[in-house]
Amino acid sequence: MGNRLANEKSPYLLQHANNPVNWYPWSEEAFEEAKERNCPIFLSVGYSTCHWCHVMERESFEDEEVAAILNHNFVSIKVDREERPDIDHIYMSVCLAMTGQGGWPLTILMTPDKKPFYAGTYFPKHEKWDRVGLVEILIQVSEKWRQDPGLLLGMAEKVSSSVFAEKRYSQDGELNEETLLKAFSLAGELFDKEYGGFGTAPKFPTPHNLAFLLRYWRREGGREALDMVTHTLERMYRGGIYDHIGYGFSRYSTDKKWLAPHFEKMLYDNALLALAYIEGYQATGRKLYARVAKEIFTYVLRDMTSPEGGFYSAEDADSEGEEGKFYVWTPAEIKDVLGEQDGAAYCRLFDITAKGNFAGRNIPNLIDAPSFNDDGELTLAAEETAGYIESLRNKLFDAREKRAHPHKDDKTLTSWNGLMIAALARGAAVFGEDLYRRAAVKAVEFIMQKLRRTDGRLLARYRDGEAAYPAYLDDYAFLVWGLWELYEADFTASHLENALALTGQMIDLFWDAENGGFYFSGKDTEQLISRPKEVYDGALPSGNSVALLNLLRLARLTADGELMDIAEKQIKAFSGSIGQYPWGYTHFLMGVDFMLGPTREIVIAGKAGAADTGAMLNAARQAFLPNATLLFHPPGETGRQIEKVIPFLKEQRQINEKATAYICENYACRAPVTDLQQFADMLQQEPVYLSRNVHH
């Protein structure tokens, strides 16, 4: 017999629809029921591809004994953190404050008026591994609620008043080049010189850390920042965190070598990592990085794209109830597919042994494989060509496709789609690959058609024909990022128009006019127990950090002083907090780097499709110019459309019918050039850095 989750669209909630626990979705009905019964609420937050969520479901939520305790003593609520990140943010902050750690599944016990008094993550059914058992917790709490509810209500008031008091970000201090240096120095202290990445296991890719270091290298010169990036990019690719048979990255590595991943694959990681590898390629010209980015896109377009054009959210770590089963191999399985000789060659190269490197089986990896050559291929014996290795991979991929696949979370999230649109757009621009551009355009069209209300308000989630939940800050910020990247890929004026319109909506819905910064949820949404602002850049960059860089780039592109004013206020709002530990805010620091300047505005005036125009655009796109904006001004009606968005383009036209480049830097414009080599030389000239503080 099902419960109330059977009517939901979330894959995670539907996974629990047949539990004996009488689950409610987050709803007024649930809270009214708790008030009527005068009982506490058991809140469980997770997501459909979460390994420990599955474990807790098998051990406890499918168990009749646990269900009886919950149904008799609590009102139980299930929340998909990817659909309701607002709820997740609020109660995860409680867990971090009460226990010092967080993660999923998130377990909260709270009063009927949503005030928490107990928090944790995964609990086994009964005590084991020094972890208290769920049954013991539930029995103790239900007895205490009956005997002395005032004690728990008092705890809830105390927790709420301390955790939910609006966080005051320090505004003391300047964010300047010294802040960037401090972040770089912290990176150096945390850097793993042997295997790349930062800190110890578990290791997360955190691509914005690499993006920041590339910008720091571009600003300061020297090799150290660049070497941290290149070493990390190569070591991550070599590891088992990368799927060498089907492509794409898993969420994190459980060890320092990047060997054994937590096997779930998230759309956002693959979007941000594709961007990191593309920027690595732009900065160094190393073909390996271009190949990895293209392989990520192959994976996403093959396995993570809906027929309608949106991108799916994630793939599970588990299949057939076992973590990683889909991805691991024995030597015998390899040889069954490839034959003895080819199988032995593959096993030797990809570390497939009888002993195994993961619970007696093997994760294919290149950790100890030979070096890569200039073409981005492994340096192997003459007969082991790249084509030969690829033929083996293809056979193994076809064989693996016949296995039971991990669950795919097929909902479309506006925020994560924005990131993949940004990555594909950059790939289209840098690699000249129209397939990527078309996929990005189709995803934008899907969001604009399916994930907007009739009044234009963005929505957060689409699945099975239904769009729901007013979009959060991340949805607006990440989608705007995708739109301006897509403008620089195909120069369609509507992308910029949409980016500017959504930015205006974002300011109206989320901006804190009193203290600066953006709230996570809009002023028009359900009023939860608190309304937080997030600026920390964790596994994902924060909405505030992405919004800052968007505001700065759009202000430069359009010469809009109001957008620049908001960006300056945003930097001021968080300056003291970021200055204390800048390495925790590396995406935000990319905005600071942009604000410090110099920035370049590059305009190419020329005929669309003409050879000289294409050559100039390609020169600008191939170079690593993170603080440059690129505009295209063609003649005719298309040119007039972009002039409506960016009026100053009217003056920047072709000279003598030739493609003409205009470069402005530090608010001064150079003489226009029509010679391709002269333009390329100008792009490579070191920018003139004007040291100054940001925020006064």
Side-chain angles (χ1 to χ4, degrees):
M1 180 181 161
N3 53 49
R4 287 170 178 80
L5 302 185
N7 299 319
E8 296 298 307
K9 296 289 188 183
S10 154
Y12 177 61
L13 299 189
L14 290 170
Q15 284 173 354
H16 293 266
N18 290 311
N19 293 167
V21 176
N22 184 22
W23 291 114
Y24 286 75
W26 181 277
S27 58
E28 277 310 306
E29 182 191 6
F31 296 108
E32 289 302 321
E33 174 75 7
K35 286 171 186 168
E36 203 170 298
R37 286 173 50 193
N38 187 27
C39 67
I41 284 167
F42 178 85
L43 172 66
S44 178
V45 183
Y47 56 104
S48 77
T49 59
C50 160
H51 171 70
W52 287 104
C53 301
H54 301 328
V55 174
M56 195 162 172
E57 180 185 21
R58 283 196 298 270
E59 291 178 346
S60 295
F61 302 143
E62 292 177 352
D63 181 85
E64 295 289 347
E65 180 190 1
V66 174
I69 297 169
L70 281 170
N71 295 344
H72 185 68
N73 299 289
F74 298 84
V75 167
S76 301
I77 297 177
K78 259 286 171 204
V79 168
D80 181 340
R81 68 171 291 258
E82 294 169 355
E83 282 193 340
R84 294 300 305 265
D86 52 342
I87 296 168
D88 180 57
H89 277 212
I90 288 169
Y91 291 102
M92 186 60 74
S93 69
V94 173
C95 188
L96 289 165
M98 292 182 79
T99 71
Q101 56 191 30
W104 298 276
L106 172 63
T107 304
I108 298 284
L109 299 179
M110 60 186 185
T111 66
D113 57 359
K114 306 173 188 172
K115 293 179 179 175
F117 54 81
Y118 191 90
T121 53
Y122 160 78
F123 294 103
K125 180 183 174 184
H126 293 292
E127 183 181 355
K128 66 177 176 181
W129 310 320
D130 292 328
R131 293 183 84 93
V132 63
L134 182 64
V135 167
E136 289 79 10
I137 295 167
L138 296 177
I139 289 171
Q140 283 179 22
V141 168
S142 57
E143 286 176 356
K144 188 62 71 179
W145 185 268
R146 279 194 296 274
Q147 294 163 6
D148 188 5
L151 179 71
L152 296 179
L153 291 168
M155 284 171 62
E157 287 296 333
K158 200 171 173 184
V159 169
S160 298
S161 60
S162 67
V163 177
F164 295 148
E166 184 167 340
K167 184 174 179 181
R168 307 297 293 187
Y169 287 94
S170 166
Q171 299 186 5
D172 298 331
E174 310 281 355
L175 296 182
N176 51 28
E177 287 184 329
E178 285 181 21
T179 317
L180 305 181
L181 171 60
K182 186 176 177 183
F184 165 68
S185 300
L186 287 163
E189 291 171 21
L190 292 166
F191 182 62
D192 180 341
K193 292 182 174 63
E194 188 173 5
Y195 293 107
F198 303 91
T200 55
K203 267 187 179 168
F204 288 80
T206 326
H208 39 277
N209 289 345
L210 305 177
F212 163 75
L213 287 169
L214 283 174
R215 283 152 183 77
Y216 187 83
W217 161 73
R218 176 88 182 141
R219 171 178 290 277
E220 298 295 337
R223 292 285 312 180
E224 193 178 349
L226 182 63
D227 287 346
M228 283 192 259
V229 174
T230 56
H231 190 54
T232 300
L233 289 175
E234 179 168 327
R235 297 311 307 195
M236 286 195 302
Y237 168 69
R238 283 178 174 273
I241 191 174
Y242 188 73
D243 179 359
H244 290 275
I245 290 174
Y247 305 149
F249 280 90
S250 295
R251 191 164 144 249
Y252 65 85
S253 173
T254 60
D255 59 82
K256 67 179 183 178
K257 294 183 177 185
W258 307 102
L259 168 62
H262 183 47
F263 289 90
E264 65 188 308
K265 289 179 177 176
M266 313 302 291
L267 183 70
Y268 63 80
D269 281 319
N270 283 286
L272 293 167
L273 281 161
L275 276 165
Y277 279 91
I278 292 169
E279 290 197 339
Y281 169 69
Q282 286 178 295
T284 67
R286 286 195 68 190
K287 291 180 181 175
L288 171 66
Y289 304 151
R291 179 161 65 80
V292 176
K294 291 174 183 178
E295 288 177 1
I296 292 171
F297 292 144
T298 297
Y299 158 66
V300 170
L301 297 178
R302 183 191 68 220
D303 291 350
M304 298 297 284
T305 307
S306 77
E308 297 165 291
F311 302 111
Y312 299 137
S313 293
E315 290 190 300
D316 208 331
D318 300 14
S319 54
E320 300 180 273
E322 198 175 310
E323 185 180 12
K325 185 173 183 181
F326 181 73
Y327 296 101
V328 294
W329 300 79
T330 63
E333 287 170 332
I334 297 285
K335 289 172 183 176
D336 279 349
V337 176
L338 300 179
E340 187 65 35
Q341 188 174 345
D342 288 348
Y346 188 90
C347 288
R348 185 177 67 253
L349 182 57
F350 283 90
D351 184 32
I352 313 292
T353 64
K355 181 184 174 188
N357 58 36
F358 181 78
R361 294 164 72 81
N362 295 272
I363 304 164
N365 71 87
L366 294 167
I367 290 170
D368 296 317
S371 60
F372 292 97
N373 62 26
D374 290 343
D375 289 323
E377 307 297 347
L378 289 164
T379 310
L380 300 170
E383 66 276 9
E384 292 180 338
T385 62
Y388 169 70
I389 301 299
E390 174 62 8
S391 71
L392 304 186
R393 185 201 68 81
N394 269 317
K395 289 175 185 173
L396 291 170
F397 177 81
D398 289 343
R400 196 179 77 173
E401 282 294 283
K402 298 180 177 119
R403 294 178 173 181
H405 279 245
H407 157 77
K408 195 190 307 283
D409 189 313
D410 60 357
K411 67 178 177 291
T412 299
L413 297 171
T414 301
S415 56
W416 299 359
N417 271 249
L419 297 177
M420 187 51 72
I421 290 162
L424 284 162
R426 185 80 67 88
V430 173
F431 303 135
E433 178 51 77
D434 198 55
L435 175 68
Y436 304 157
R437 183 198 64 81
R438 292 198 307 272
V441 168
K442 192 173 179 184
V444 167
E445 289 171 349
F446 173 78
I447 290 170
M448 292 302 182
Q449 289 166 13
K450 301 287 190 182
L451 277 150
R452 280 200 302 183
R453 288 193 320 220
T454 52
D455 63 357
R457 174 70 156 94
L458 269 185
L459 297 169
R461 183 272 284 150
Y462 178 90
R463 184 175 183 274
D464 194 20
E466 180 194 89
Y469 307 112
Y472 310 100
L473 174 63
D474 290 8
D475 298 295
Y476 278 87
F478 296 0
L479 180 57
V480 168
W481 181 5
L483 285 165
W484 65 251
E485 289 274 9
L486 189 51
Y487 169 75
E488 293 195 2
D490 72 1
F491 301 110
T492 301
S494 63
H495 301 323
L496 266 190
E497 289 171 334
N498 284 330
L500 289 163
L502 289 170
T503 297
Q505 251 190 56
M506 180 184 77
I507 293 164
D508 177 56
L509 290 166
F510 302 94
W511 180 249
D512 178 354
E514 186 180 348
N515 298 305
F518 291 97
Y519 290 109
F520 183 76
S521 52
K523 66 184 183 184
D524 60 342
T525 57
E526 175 188 357
Q527 295 307 296
L528 299 171
I529 200 161
S530 78
R531 193 182 179 204
K533 283 180 208 158
E534 187 56 74
V535 70
Y536 175 73
D537 296 321
L540 272 166
S542 71
N544 267 293
S545 297
V546 173
L548 173 63
L549 202 45
N550 291 343
L551 288 165
L552 290 165
R553 291 189 75 92
L554 291 172
R556 274 281 184 272
L557 280 167
T558 61
D560 186 328
E562 283 185 37
L563 295 182
M564 186 61 76
D565 287 346
I566 289 171
E568 288 179 347
K569 287 173 183 168
Q570 195 184 3
I571 289 174
K572 183 177 190 300
F574 301 114
S575 57
S577 300
I578 289 170
Q580 289 165 17
Y581 186 71
W583 182 243
Y585 307 90
T586 49
H587 199 102
F588 197 95
L589 292 185
M590 289 192 264
V592 173
D593 177 62
F594 192 100
M595 183 73 123
L596 286 167
T599 55
R600 286 177 177 171
E601 294 79 47
I602 302 167
V603 178
I604 308 296
K607 291 184 183 131
D612 58 350
T613 303
M616 279 194 166
L617 289 172
N618 283 340
R621 288 159 161 169
Q622 292 289 320
F624 181 60
L625 304 169
N627 291 352
T629 54
L630 180 61
L631 291 158
F632 175 50
H633 188 211
E637 180 55 33
T638 313
R640 284 191 285 279
Q641 284 177 347
I642 194 66
E643 286 168 14
K644 289 177 193 169
V645 187
I646 306 172
F648 70 75
L649 285 179
K650 286 177 185 170
E651 311 307 319
Q652 296 175 324
R653 301 186 174 279
Q654 286 177 274
I655 295 173
N656 298 329
E657 303 256 323
K658 292 180 179 176
T660 306
Y662 296 80
I663 297 182
C664 301
E665 186 177 312
N666 293 333
Y667 304 95
C669 295
R670 303 188 193 183
V673 296
T674 56
D675 180 77
L676 177 63
Q677 189 57 53
Q678 192 180 353
F679 173 58
D681 291 344
M682 288 166 72
L683 292 178
Q684 293 307 317
Q685 285 171 9
E686 283 300 311
V688 180
Y689 286 96
L690 305 174
S691 291
R692 64 187 180 92
N693 294 333
V694 178
H695 145 231
H696 310 286

